[in-house]
Amino acid sequence: MSSSSSSAQLSLPRALARLIPFAKPAKWWIFAGLLVALLGSVASLIIPIVLQWVVDGPLLTGDRTAIVWGVAAVLGLGVAEALFIFLRRRFVLRPMTEVEFTIRQTFYERLQRLPVAFHDRWQSGQLLSRMMQDIGLIRRWLTFGLIMLVVNVLTMLIGIGLLFRWHWALGTVFFICSLPIWIVGYRFEQKYGALSRKSQDQSGDLATAVEESVHGIRVLKAFGRGGHSLDQFRKQAESLRGTEMHKAREVGLIWFWYDLVPFLALGACLFTGIVLASMGQLTVGELFGFFALAAAVRWPMNSLGFLFSFLIDARTATDRVFEVFDAEITIADPEHPRTVEQPRGELAFRDVHFRFADARDHERDLVDGLDLVLRPGETMALVGATGSGKTTLTALPTRLYDVTAGAVELDGVDVRDLTLEELRGRIGVAFEDPILFSASVRENVLLGREDLDPEGPEADRVLREALDVAQAGFVFDLPNGIDTEVGEEGMSLSGGQRQRLALARVVAAGPDVLVLDDPLSALDVDTEALVEAALRRVLATTTALIVAHRPSTVSMADRVAVMERGRVTAVGTHSELLRTSDHYRYLISSLEAGEEAPAVDAAVAEPVAGDASPPHDDTPMSEPDDTTGSAGSTGTEEVAR
């Protein structure tokens, strides 16, 4: 992805600097943590100087009082170091959890604002791993890794500088012997960075695999494919394990060098110190103090391996989080929004074209120059063969996707000129595959009514009316009634129950325009008839576009629009279209058979008038029933004639 490549091109300091706006409110706490951590390190560096004074002074002279003061000084410095470490943790821990909260909240808000097209491309597991794992890692690095890296590098530099205090030759030997650490660290960054990114991406893929298998557990069990799913998971987990092992080898290698180099430096310094002492250029106390200080510097040097790997992991996590932050929000409020002065509920499609951004040049638009106007208060059924673009069309009025050409208008105003809040408050959508949230029935149905107090009498009235329209009275028989938690995605309910609650949700929102994508497909015939009877009361005063896959759904419409290959080819009443449209007769015949018509290639000749079967199909025509043709019937008898 482009965002990924742009993040990878940033240098490590510039990449991590992108966290500054989030960490800025806690900057004084970070500085305080750095200061007390540095004071703790300075306290540890002073101890060797005190020890040198004790060895060369009181121990040689036998001054017990001075020895006691020396011991007290070392004890005091040790206590001070421990206190500073405690204060460092106290200063940064709480502010960094607030920084983590801010990043996580901003990340979630960004996910809500990004268009549906973004979520179509991204795996949910990748987003989940960024939200939880990567942001948590960033917080731990800001809390511990950043401060300790700065402090330990400064401690090492200050300590090496103090080593020159006793003798320039000792300091020079120690410094030269320490240079390989920086060379190894640079090479480590180059290798470990790629491994860290690969590991975190694989973790996201593994999270996606787990999520998909949990959501699809019924399918896996029904087809007996649990073993196959386990094999696929094992392969992905093994791949992640291999990457983690490669990372561990790299970390182990750098730890080896960071452990070895200080010992080599100490060995070289010991030899040099003995020579200098034998020449009378160094006292025993100075040699003792030098090695005590070198030992104090050794820990910061050893920790660089861990801190460098932590730094690179944090940089990778930052890149992954900012890939989402950098994703373009293509569907947003206009700079100068308009409003509908006189809401009437007219919905119009003006020469609408739509194609996905990754569509190839030779592919036709999914919606290809479509024109359609729904009059205020009118119910229009949309019928068409599979792949004609019906479901795609239902996503355009609320700007789940933006048209690539033409315009969708609400009461004469282009929907792109309205704020998303106003637009989606005035147009309600119910999808064929209903999604419920892990919340109570009440919260799910009143999702679109932020203006109501969920526990107030008005909310209770709206809730009960919506449930009545959707024939969802079954909720009162649930263990806790309308306060029953429906579980993740509502899977504790049947498909028909979920569909009725989704319909109740859109009815409760009270929009001016309803867009329904086959909202009754999971209902049995008797329940469907009851829902349709109640729904007619709502449709009497509401503009509605209904994707119809059943003849009974068509019967609710004032007019019917026939869609072929992304265009509306005929509009009229049910009876008019039966008389004038061969393709409509074929579609109605398919709906009566209980299945949606397959897509018919435009290059194939049109069926002859009166033939309700597709071209070159020898299937006999349905027998006429005993009902007379009317606006509320399926028109079988008329088709037969």
Side-chain angles (χ1 to χ4, degrees):
M1 298 179 189
S2 59
S3 56
S4 176
S5 60
S6 63
S7 298
Q9 290 170 1
L10 294 176
S11 64
L12 190 148
R14 289 180 61 195
L16 291 173
R18 305 184 77 184
L19 296 173
I20 290 176
F22 294 103
K24 194 172 183 179
K27 63 180 180 181
W28 296 116
W29 292 109
I30 295 175
F31 290 148
L34 279 169
L35 178 61
V36 296
L38 187 58
L39 289 175
S41 293
V42 170
S44 69
L45 295 178
I46 295 176
I47 291 176
I49 299 176
V50 175
L51 291 175
Q52 180 229 321
W53 172 78
V54 171
V55 171
D56 281 345
L59 282 180
L60 288 177
T61 62
D63 186 348
R64 294 184 178 182
T65 302
I67 292 175
V68 171
W69 279 110
V71 171
V74 171
L75 178 63
L77 289 169
V79 171
E81 181 184 5
L83 178 62
F84 288 136
I85 292 174
F86 169 77
L87 290 176
R88 171 183 63 80
R89 295 177 180 272
R90 187 67 180 269
F91 285 159
V92 299
L93 187 59
R94 182 181 178 86
M96 288 305 103
T97 58
E98 293 176 355
V99 170
E100 178 186 27
F101 170 77
T102 301
I103 297 175
R104 188 163 283 141
Q105 185 179 39
T106 305
F107 189 92
Y108 186 80
E109 187 267 343
R110 187 77 178 187
L111 290 180
Q112 296 297 310
R113 293 178 58 203
L114 284 166
V116 174
F118 168 88
H119 294 278
D120 290 341
R121 296 191 307 270
W122 281 70
Q123 295 176 338
S124 55
Q126 287 287 354
L127 297 176
L128 183 61
S129 69
R130 284 163 168 78
M131 166 69 82
M132 304 307 298
Q133 179 178 324
D134 291 341
I135 294 178
L137 192 151
I138 289 171
R139 188 262 304 164
R140 292 193 298 274
W141 181 74
L142 289 172
T143 303
F144 174 76
L146 171 63
I147 291 176
M148 293 311 300
L149 180 63
V150 173
V151 169
N152 285 7
V153 169
L154 289 176
T155 300
M156 189 173 65
L157 295 177
I158 293 172
I160 292 175
L162 288 175
L163 292 178
F164 284 87
R165 173 181 179 274
W166 283 284
H167 199 283
W168 66 267
L170 287 176
T172 301
V173 169
F174 192 89
F175 176 73
I176 292 175
C177 290
S178 301
L179 287 179
I181 284 181
W182 306 104
I183 300 173
V184 171
Y186 175 77
R187 296 184 62 185
F188 173 77
E189 178 190 346
Q190 306 303 308
K191 290 184 178 180
Y192 191 82
L195 289 173
S196 177
R197 177 60 198 240
K198 183 178 180 181
S199 170
Q200 287 168 282
D201 285 344
Q202 287 176 332
S203 295
D205 291 337
L206 201 62
T208 299
V210 173
E211 183 184 34
E212 288 179 346
S213 64
V214 170
H215 286 178
I217 192 66
R218 290 171 176 79
V219 176
L220 293 176
K221 287 182 175 293
F223 285 88
R225 299 295 284 172
H228 171 75
S229 178
L230 179 59
D231 289 340
Q232 295 297 109
F233 176 83
R234 184 182 294 112
K235 290 178 182 178
Q236 288 183 275
E238 185 63 33
S239 178
L240 175 59
R241 175 182 174 276
T243 304
E244 289 294 333
M245 290 299 296
H246 197 170
K247 283 176 59 181
R249 284 193 294 270
E250 291 297 327
V251 172
L253 183 62
I254 197 171
W255 268 100
F256 167 77
W257 284 108
Y258 282 174
D259 273 336
L260 178 63
V261 168
F263 280 117
L264 293 177
L266 289 175
C269 289
L270 178 60
F271 177 79
T272 305
I274 292 173
V275 172
L276 292 174
S278 65
M279 296 171 61
Q281 298 185 23
L282 201 65
T283 67
V284 174
E286 289 173 334
L287 188 60
F288 182 82
F290 176 88
F291 277 95
L293 184 58
V297 173
R298 176 175 168 268
W299 154 243
M301 293 178 67
N302 285 350
S303 71
L304 291 182
F306 162 71
L307 293 174
F308 276 162
S309 63
F310 200 176
L311 174 69
I312 294 170
D313 284 338
R315 182 257 165 84
T316 302
T318 302
D319 285 345
R320 281 165 48 86
V321 168
F322 273 88
E323 284 174 5
V324 177
F325 287 155
D326 291 341
E328 184 180 3
I329 299 177
T330 56
I331 297 178
D333 289 340
E335 185 177 352
H336 303 290
R338 297 176 58 189
T339 187
V340 176
E341 300 294 340
Q342 297 180 336
R344 295 176 294 117
E346 180 185 83
L347 182 65
F349 300 85
R350 311 285 188 189
D351 191 26
V352 168
H353 291 257
F354 175 78
R355 61 164 45 218
F356 289 107
D358 58 354
R360 299 173 182 173
D361 293 338
H362 67 274
E363 293 178 353
R364 67 176 178 84
D365 290 349
L366 297 177
V367 179
D368 192 9
L370 181 141
D371 286 288
L372 184 66
V373 177
L374 279 71
R375 304 162 187 155
E378 177 182 39
T379 299
M380 179 171 288
L382 186 65
V383 298
T386 302
S388 59
K390 305 184 300 298
T391 298
T392 301
L393 187 68
T394 62
L396 302 181
T398 53
R399 296 189 67 196
L400 297 182
Y401 298 95
D402 265 342
V403 298
T404 50
V408 179
E409 296 179 355
L410 178 63
D411 290 328
V413 179
D414 192 320
V415 295
R416 290 168 294 189
D417 293 333
L418 299 172
T419 64
L420 293 175
E421 181 180 4
E422 178 180 359
L423 174 64
R424 293 169 182 174
R426 296 196 55 210
I427 301 179
V429 183
F431 303 100
E432 181 179 8
D433 184 19
I435 296 294
L436 300 179
F437 297 94
S438 299
S440 67
V441 170
R442 179 194 301 273
E443 291 170 309
N444 271 286
V445 174
L446 296 178
L447 182 67
R449 294 302 300 267
E450 289 183 310
D451 57 315
L452 298 179
D453 175 9
E455 303 297 332
E458 179 64 15
D460 191 62
R461 181 190 67 79
V462 171
L463 173 65
R464 291 179 180 275
E465 288 181 356
L467 293 173
D468 180 62
V469 170
Q471 297 298 301
F474 69 88
V475 299
F476 298 105
D477 298 325
L478 295 175
N480 295 315
I482 57 177
D483 293 315
T484 300
E485 298 280 334
V486 299
E488 186 178 10
E489 295 189 9
M491 295 306 291
S492 60
L493 305 175
S494 70
Q497 289 173 329
R498 291 198 303 273
Q499 204 165 57
R500 278 180 278 171
L501 287 183
L503 180 61
R505 178 169 58 199
V506 72
V507 170
D512 298 330
V513 178
L514 283 172
V515 179
L516 309 177
D517 187 1
D518 197 19
L520 312 178
S521 60
L523 305 185
D524 60 75
V525 175
D526 293 336
T527 304
E528 180 187 11
L530 293 174
V531 173
E532 287 174 352
L535 191 56
R536 281 189 174 92
R537 299 197 303 269
V538 176
L539 298 180
T541 56
T542 305
T543 307
L545 177 64
I546 306 177
V547 174
H549 293 159
R550 291 186 180 185
S552 56
T553 308
V554 176
S555 70
M556 292 191 296
D558 300 312
R559 289 192 300 160
V560 182
V562 181
M563 197 165 178
E564 295 183 70
R565 297 179 63 82
R567 297 183 179 183
V568 169
T569 56
V571 179
T573 65
H574 174 65
S575 299
E576 290 171 349
L577 292 177
L578 284 174
R579 288 194 303 270
T580 60
S581 174
D582 298 329
H583 187 64
Y584 183 69
R585 287 197 294 273
Y586 161 54
L587 292 172
I588 287 296
S589 177
S590 300
L591 296 181
E592 286 179 329
E595 58 184 27
E596 188 175 1
V600 178
D601 197 319
V604 180
E606 287 290 331
V608 295
D611 187 358
S613 61
H616 309 297
D617 189 348
D618 296 330
T619 305
M621 184 166 40
S622 302
E623 290 296 325
D625 60 16
D626 294 330
T627 58
T628 58
S630 67
S633 71
T634 59
T636 308
E637 186 177 0
E638 191 168 353
V639 172
R641 288 201 295 268

